[in-house]
Each structure stands twice: as structure tokens, then as C-alpha cells.
Amino acid sequence: MGEPITDGISRNGSDDDINGGTGTPPPGYSFPTHKLAKTLQEMAADHFNGHAKYELIGGYFSPVSDYYQKEGLAPAHHRVRMCELATESDSAWLMVDSWEALQASYQRTAVVLDHFDDELNKNMGGMTLPDGSKREIRILLLAGGDLIESMGRKDVWASED
């Protein structure tokens, strides 16, 4: 499993959310396209940070595995590296989780969200608040138009998702 990184993330005790951007940045080798996916994450952060009810503590890019079999999709290791390059120099809160990309089969979005919940809440114990108490992290999905469009297709989404 990929290990989510949370070091240096603010933990002030408010309602905490993690932006689980599990949708792959658009396929291919065009780095400016990945900048658009990053911009979408930044816009979501601006929205959450503008609402006192929530504290956005992190966001993840989670590229799909090669078993997604979308025409023109760059190999998973290239997409993971592109996401790493896009986040390493100027983002303290955006991270890359390679778990989905490393899977030997295609993983449904709901399964990937469960992975983030397991890693952050079960394995890492959620958030440790300043008083030492723990709080579960709420996992949210930030999706691009291609993922939203696919939600109406019965051949893509399981009914339990």
C-alpha cells in the first residue's frame, strides 16, 4: 500500500476533511493538463478554507492503474511521477498516493476511497488534536467532469457505490 503523507499538515481541531482526489489527472504526457487538475484541487482548497466549518488538511492525486485500459493513457509509473513533479515544489498540502496505480486490477472509485479511509483513519488513527484526543478524518472525492459523467453509466459503477 502507498503510505499517505500527513507531516506538516495543520491540525487545529476543527471539522477535518481530506480531499481525496482519486480521479486521474487527464491522460497523456501533457504536463499543462496536469496543472489543470492541480488548479482544480487548489480551487477546492480555496472553497474549503473560506468556510469556518471545515479545515482542509490535505489532498491526494491517485492515478489509476494500467488496468483501467483507457486509450492513450500513459503508463501508471509515468502518471505517478508527473503528479509527484506537479506537487513537490510548491504545494505543502497536495500529495500523491500510488496505491491505486500499483494494483494488479482496476479498482472502483469507492474501493479507492475506502483505501484512503483505511490508511488515514484505521492505520494512522485519524487526527490527533492538540488536547491529545482523536478525530476521524472525513474523506471527500474531488472529481473531474469525466468521472462525474461516468456516474450515469451502469457498466462503470456498481450499485453499492
Side-chain angles (χ1 to χ4, degrees):
M1 282 191 184
E3 293 185 23
I5 303 167
T6 56
D7 292 341
I9 295 173
S10 173
R11 298 172 184 199
N12 71 4
S14 65
D15 285 341
D16 300 305
D17 291 283
I18 199 93
N19 178 359
T22 63
T24 300
Y29 292 92
S30 175
F31 204 73
T33 303
H34 294 280
K35 288 185 178 183
L36 291 174
K38 185 177 172 190
T39 299
L40 182 61
Q41 292 267 18
E42 298 289 353
M43 290 171 61
D46 289 345
H47 173 77
F48 276 98
N49 292 332
H51 293 80
K53 181 179 177 184
Y54 300 103
E55 176 189 13
L56 181 70
I57 61 168
Y60 288 91
F61 284 112
S62 180
V64 297
S65 76
D66 290 330
Y67 296 95
Y68 184 61
Q69 298 180 350
K70 183 175 183 179
E71 188 175 326
L73 195 62
H77 68 278
H78 288 297
R79 288 180 285 109
V80 168
R81 185 64 186 135
M82 284 188 278
C83 290
E84 289 170 345
L85 289 169
T87 59
E88 71 184 8
S89 64
D90 64 347
S91 182
W93 71 276
L94 277 175
M95 298 160 271
V96 181
D97 185 274
S98 60
W99 178 85
E100 182 179 4
L102 296 173
Q103 298 308 298
S105 63
Y106 169 71
Q107 301 297 309
R108 297 182 344 266
T109 299
V111 171
V112 177
L113 293 173
D114 288 344
H115 156 73
F116 280 101
D117 186 55
D118 288 345
E119 287 293 317
L120 296 168
N121 288 313
K122 293 179 182 145
N123 296 342
M124 295 178 67
M127 294 290 288
T128 302
L129 303 177
D131 67 2
S133 64
K134 295 278 191 173
R135 176 176 283 156
E136 186 173 286
I137 298 170
R138 187 177 309 151
I139 310 298
L140 301 177
L141 172 66
L142 176 64
D146 58 338
L147 183 63
I148 299 298
E149 183 179 321
S150 76
M151 289 180 174
R153 294 181 44 203
K154 293 179 179 156
D155 62 325
V156 176
W157 288 85
S159 60
E160 64 269 17
D161 293 348

